Amino acid sequence: MFEDPAAQLAFRRELTRQFGTAPVALSTDGRHVEFTASVDAGLGVGRFAVVEDEGAPPLVLQIHAARLAEREGPTLQTDDLAASSLPGTTATFRPLLRFVTGLGVVVGTLDDERFSAASGVAPFGERLIRSADETEVGRIMAGLIGVQPSLEVGVLRQAPSVSARLVSKGFARHTFMCGQSGSGKTYTTGGLFERLLAGTTLPIVVLDPNSDHVHLGRLRDESDDSPEARRFAAAAADVRVARARGLDASFTLCADFSDLPLDGQALLLRLHPVHDADEFDALRRITAQLVAPYSAHEVLETADRSAVHDPLAGRIARRMANLAIADWTIWRRPDETSISQFRLAEARCLVLDLGSLPTPDERTAVALAILGNRWRNRADRSPVLIAIDEAHNVLPAHTDDPLLQATTELGILIAGEGRKFGLHLFVATQRPSKVHPNVVSQCDNLILMRMNGARDVDDLVSLFSHVPEAMIRESLGFGLGQALFAGPITPVPAVVQVGTRRSPEGGADVPTTWATPRED
């Protein structure tokens, strides 16, 4: 009918204008709202919409699902179209019209320039629906947060002039953070730690396998005199970093052999309490002769002395020597303080640079000692955020290493029962399937950055069924520094462009200077 594509497009737009879908919403239960609207109505997933009806305050929804749909329009006839290639003919056709249909959830009402939160209203028939403008989004978010303490973490993607804020007390629930390499996960994690330090009094212990947060205690830009930078600088003074001996740090990352319980010590020696019952009992007798704190060297020396009258003690000594356990760098020297003696009352934040330790077993032993210490002292009911970055190194979904298995089991125990004792987890990783599911399933908060794998997204949809599926699936298209926040840390799920981090990042990729052509 049309030879000119531009004319054809203009014709289709005119048909859409005349016969397109009206922007209407209706609800049979007053909580869930179904809607249809034009494609350009701005009613995308995660956005706020306003439903208006004469004589009633405007109703505010958050869109949880939206999809493109199409239907045939009415049967039309046109005679001798100016653009037709067949003048004098009559064309009969039914135009194909496209529109958006979806589902929203009631979050409140707007009345007299004020937002009031509400979880539902009376059921209603067709009413007009439109996208909330940026000013309204600001009022909605301010009303949802209210006067409760909150942390500014960036701006809303749908309204860049509106600050995105997290509910501080929401971190009393376990948090799972996930994002592929290159999504900005490390930068965002550090920014969240900064805001928790500056905006709350919650103590933080960070298990840092990749040395990403070793500079959390200082400003990246010393000349930054903004109020936010000053607040963080004051809080940063309470950050302590523990690293391997010889590195610049607040103190040495070290431990006593006695920081581990007997079953943990046995795991270091690769002893099973049933399969190696006699040697396990020998280790019990040897350590019973020592007064805590005691070192691996003291255990080895005691085993050597006891070997004269106890052959099993000699086997313990040979096992320790063969595994070179007493030579590990993590064991405390006389002039040092074990990490188990560190008290968060003395500082707000402790960063344990596991990445600075030379062997996987040493890193796991420290993680086991820290988690075990927190669990054994749970009756103190002292709130603490236990942040485990690159958590697949500490709480893996699958492992044949008995030491890692023990650490994972302890993590599962804390995830399941620790919250009532004030032990709050913050678990970060690149892929959900790499962390033990019994840890992830106990996390109520989700912080999701860009994902590259559809299967990983399917796993997240299954694990976090309380988060709108369409918002999780949007993560496949997130840009750098964009994140979905959902759960008790935010009144409604929100996609955020994360704000500035003020401390330097630690670990970094190897520079790609090799990509620059060589000059001849």
Side-chain angles (χ1 to χ4, degrees), residues 128-317:
L128 290 176
I129 185 172
R130 62 174 175 82
S131 178
D133 63 39
E134 202 149 334
T135 301
E136 290 170 329
V137 171
R139 295 209 308 270
I140 293 165
M141 291 304 297
L144 287 169
I145 291 290
V147 297
Q148 59 188 326
S150 60
L151 309 170
E152 182 276 323
V153 292
V155 297
L156 295 181
R157 185 182 64 173
Q158 73 174 99
S161 68
V162 178
S163 294
R165 305 192 70 86
L166 302 181
V167 180
S168 301
K169 66 180 181 182
F171 285 96
R173 300 280 183 169
H174 302 318
T175 301
F176 181 72
M177 183 176 186
C178 193
Q180 295 286 354
S181 178
S183 65
K185 179 171 63 71
T186 298
Y187 184 95
T188 299
T189 304
L192 289 172
F193 293 161
E194 292 172 6
R195 285 154 174 80
L196 284 166
L197 286 169
T200 74
T201 58
L202 180 65
I204 304 173
V205 173
V206 182
L207 301 185
D208 188 7
N210 282 355
S211 309
D212 287 328
H213 306 291
V214 294
H215 303 306
L216 188 60
R218 64 183 181 87
L219 276 173
R220 181 177 65 248
D221 181 3
E222 298 289 347
S223 65
D224 187 350
D225 196 40
S226 65
E228 295 81 8
R230 289 198 300 269
R231 281 195 295 271
F232 170 64
D238 280 338
V239 175
R240 302 290 182 270
V241 179
R243 308 187 73 184
R245 195 172 290 111
L247 297 177
D248 182 30
S250 308
F251 58 92
T252 301
L253 181 55
C254 62
D256 287 304
F257 198 75
S258 54
D259 288 340
L260 295 169
L262 180 65
D263 54 354
Q265 297 172 5
L267 286 172
L268 296 188
L269 273 63
R270 300 299 191 261
L271 292 174
H272 189 278
V274 176
H275 300 153
D276 306 297
D278 292 338
E279 289 176 279
F280 188 94
D281 185 59
L283 178 63
R284 184 198 308 274
R285 294 196 305 272
I286 291 165
T287 56
Q289 301 175 48
L290 302 172
V291 177
Y294 53 80
S295 67
H297 288 285
E298 289 177 279
V299 175
L300 179 57
E301 290 169 359
T302 302
D304 269 331
R305 288 196 304 270
S306 302
V308 175
H309 54 80
D310 185 353
L312 286 173
R315 293 171 64 176
I316 293 295

Side-chain angles (χ1 to χ4, degrees), residues 12-32:
R12 287 195 55 79
R13 285 176 173 172
E14 178 61 22
L15 288 175
T16 300
R17 187 187 69 81
Q18 292 191 40
F19 303 107
T21 301
V24 295
L26 59 87
S27 176
T28 58
D29 63 5
R31 168 65 176 161
H32 302 91

Side-chain angles (χ1 to χ4, degrees), residues 222-495:
E222 298 289 347
S223 65
D224 187 350
D225 196 40
S226 65
E228 295 81 8
R230 289 198 300 269
R231 281 195 295 271
F232 170 64
D238 280 338
V239 175
R240 302 290 182 270
V241 179
R243 308 187 73 184
R245 195 172 290 111
L247 297 177
D248 182 30
S250 308
F251 58 92
T252 301
L253 181 55
C254 62
D256 287 304
F257 198 75
S258 54
D259 288 340
L260 295 169
L262 180 65
D263 54 354
Q265 297 172 5
L267 286 172
L268 296 188
L269 273 63
R270 300 299 191 261
L271 292 174
H272 189 278
V274 176
H275 300 153
D276 306 297
D278 292 338
E279 289 176 279
F280 188 94
D281 185 59
L283 178 63
R284 184 198 308 274
R285 294 196 305 272
I286 291 165
T287 56
Q289 301 175 48
L290 302 172
V291 177
Y294 53 80
S295 67
H297 288 285
E298 289 177 279
V299 175
L300 179 57
E301 290 169 359
T302 302
D304 269 331
R305 288 196 304 270
S306 302
V308 175
H309 54 80
D310 185 353
L312 286 173
R315 293 171 64 176
I316 293 295
R318 288 194 298 275
R319 183 180 286 263
M320 290 188 71
N322 290 341
L323 293 171
I325 291 175
D327 298 329
W328 285 5
T329 63
I330 62 168
W331 302 128
R332 180 182 66 86
R333 293 177 179 176
D335 58 338
E336 297 170 341
T337 301
S338 166
I339 52 171
S340 68
Q341 300 302 311
F342 182 86
R343 296 290 178 265
L344 285 170
E346 302 168 10
R348 276 284 311 288
C349 177
L350 172 63
V351 178
L352 300 168
D353 182 11
L354 303 184
S356 66
L357 297 174
T359 66
D361 279 350
E362 289 178 85
R363 295 191 283 271
T364 303
V366 169
L368 183 61
I370 288 294
L371 295 178
N373 180 268
R374 290 292 154 191
W375 181 249
R376 287 192 297 275
N377 293 310
R378 64 191 181 278
D380 295 345
R381 301 178 68 86
S382 299
V384 60
L385 183 72
I386 304 173
I388 308 176
D389 201 6
E390 303 297 343
H392 49 277
N393 293 307
V394 179
L395 308 172
H398 307 285
T399 180
D400 295 326
D401 183 351
L403 198 58
L404 262 180
Q405 288 174 354
T407 307
T408 303
E409 289 169 4
L410 191 51
I412 293 170
L413 189 60
I414 293 173
E417 302 182 30
R419 193 177 66 82
K420 60 190 174 187
F421 299 107
L423 304 179
H424 312 307
L425 288 176
F426 182 105
V427 178
T429 189
Q430 295 180 13
R431 299 185 62 190
S433 60
K434 295 175 71 173
V435 177
H436 200 285
N438 289 345
V439 173
V440 181
S441 63
Q442 293 297 324
C443 294
D444 295 316
N445 294 317
L446 173 65
I447 303 174
L448 179 60
M449 306 194 75
R450 187 182 70 240
M451 301 298 294
N452 296 335
R455 181 173 294 181
D456 290 330
V457 172
D458 289 340
D459 289 342
L460 289 164
V461 167
S462 176
L463 288 164
F464 293 92
S465 57
H466 59 285
V467 182
E469 177 179 341
M471 296 189 75
I472 293 178
R473 295 198 180 280
E474 275 202 329
S475 65
L476 290 167
F478 282 173
L480 179 64
Q482 291 182 345
L484 166 64
F485 291 84
I489 53 175
T490 177
V492 293
V495 178

